Amino acid sequence: MDKSEFTILIAEDQLDIAKFLKQGLTEEGYKCLAVKNGLDVLNIVKQQSVSLVLLDWMMPKLKGIDVCRQLREQHITIPIIFLTARDTVEDTIEGLKSGANDYIKKPFNFGELLARVETHLRMHFKIDDILELGDIRLNMSKYEVKKDNEIINLTEKEFKFLAHLIKNKGQVCDRHSIIEQVWDIHFDYDTAVLDVYMNAIRKKLNLNKKELLRTVRGVGFIAIENE
């Protein structure tokens, strides 16, 4: 997914939070706009191409809950995520009933926010994230692997291992970073298990050790197009 194609509107009247969100989302590759009151949200969405709205509830001029209702009444279907300090179950229910796609309570974890933003963008814009390496194609949303248009059955860990290498195509991925990011293990662990998985992946994809997926002795692995 090319994040630069998406514009996120941040509706937040607390300047420190708005600045934090804008900086973080921009560093992730998204385009960002920021407004401090509810009326500006309505105007921006009408005038510009906005992909998703991060909406605070308590804002000047027009509350977020009313902004959400008006956008839905105008048949504007872009994803809306409430990002608010209102944290009761009743608030969450009211926010979702107003037409919001999601409801995140402050204080929030930025990693979780990013994941939810990406999920709603994928769902709304019906994005199938495709990774390619030579004649190998990974459909990330369907967990599907094809080689020469033939479906290859990989286990979950094999799929994630292969996807990690292709996402970092052309760069050596060291063993410990793979264990941390694919296996989610953050302590000393025998990385020899990676050789077992790599052999299984190569066998299923019918690759030799010099094709596409190479072992860098003493370091890790690299996905690279055939020269």
Side-chain angles (χ1 to χ4, degrees):
M1 184 173 83
D2 186 355
K3 295 178 181 179
S4 66
E5 296 179 357
F6 300 99
T7 298
I8 297 176
L9 177 59
I10 301 165
E12 173 61 68
D13 64 327
Q14 295 186 47
L15 296 182
D16 55 340
I17 296 177
K19 182 179 179 181
F20 170 75
L21 288 169
K22 188 172 184 179
Q23 180 178 342
L25 290 165
T26 300
E27 288 176 355
E28 285 293 317
Y30 293 106
K31 295 176 183 176
C32 292
L33 301 170
V35 295
K36 295 182 288 187
N37 68 74
L39 288 179
D40 283 347
V41 177
L42 297 179
N43 292 330
I44 290 290
V45 171
K46 290 177 184 177
Q47 296 169 7
Q48 300 189 42
S49 177
V50 173
S51 308
L52 180 145
V53 180
L54 290 178
L55 185 62
D56 188 20
W57 189 307
M58 302 303 297
M59 288 191 299
K61 298 186 180 179
L62 190 65
K63 292 182 180 179
I65 193 76
D66 296 315
V67 170
C68 188
R69 290 188 179 118
Q70 289 191 36
L71 289 175
R72 295 314 190 212
E73 287 170 0
Q74 295 168 21
H75 306 291
I76 295 171
T77 62
I78 58 173
I80 298 172
I81 300 177
F82 269 110
L83 190 59
T84 174
R86 296 182 67 113
D87 60 358
T88 68
V89 173
E90 291 75 18
D91 289 332
T92 303
I93 293 172
E94 185 178 0
L96 294 173
K97 282 187 173 181
S98 73
N101 299 82
D102 210 341
Y103 196 101
I104 301 176
K105 300 168 186 177
K106 298 176 183 175
F108 57 92
N109 177 278
F110 188 67
E112 179 185 356
L113 172 66
L114 282 177
R116 295 197 186 197
V117 165
E118 185 169 337
T119 295
H120 287 294
L121 289 174
R122 289 184 186 283
M123 291 173 61
H124 182 75
F125 292 98
K126 296 179 174 60
I127 300 168
D128 277 342
D129 201 351
I130 304 296
L131 299 178
E132 295 184 330
L133 180 69
D135 53 4
I136 300 169
R137 288 171 58 86
L138 273 65
N139 187 316
M140 299 299 292
S141 63
K142 295 181 180 178
Y143 258 65
E144 182 181 82
V145 183
K146 287 186 177 181
K147 184 172 185 285
D148 294 328
N149 290 320
E150 178 185 349
I151 293 178
I152 307 297
N153 294 315
L154 299 186
T155 66
E156 179 186 0
K157 280 292 188 290
E158 289 168 353
F159 183 94
K160 289 182 176 180
F161 187 6
L162 179 59
H164 179 75
L165 294 179
I166 297 178
K167 285 178 181 178
N168 295 279
K169 184 165 55 178
Q171 302 176 43
V172 177
C173 299
D174 72 82
R175 289 172 174 268
H176 291 289
S177 70
I178 295 170
I179 287 292
E180 287 186 354
Q181 296 183 46
V182 177
W183 269 256
D184 197 26
I185 294 175
H186 301 276
F187 52 84
D188 287 340
Y189 189 82
D190 184 3
T191 63
V193 68
L194 297 181
D195 297 297
V196 177
Y197 276 88
M198 178 54 68
N199 288 337
I201 293 170
R202 286 183 179 135
K203 184 176 181 180
K204 291 180 179 181
L205 294 173
N206 194 27
L207 300 176
N208 65 48
K209 292 184 178 181
K210 294 182 179 180
E211 286 185 292
L212 301 178
L213 303 172
R214 302 181 186 178
T215 300
V216 181
R217 189 177 299 276
V219 183
F221 304 89
I222 184 172
I224 190 166
E225 301 285 0
N226 287 331
E227 297 173 354

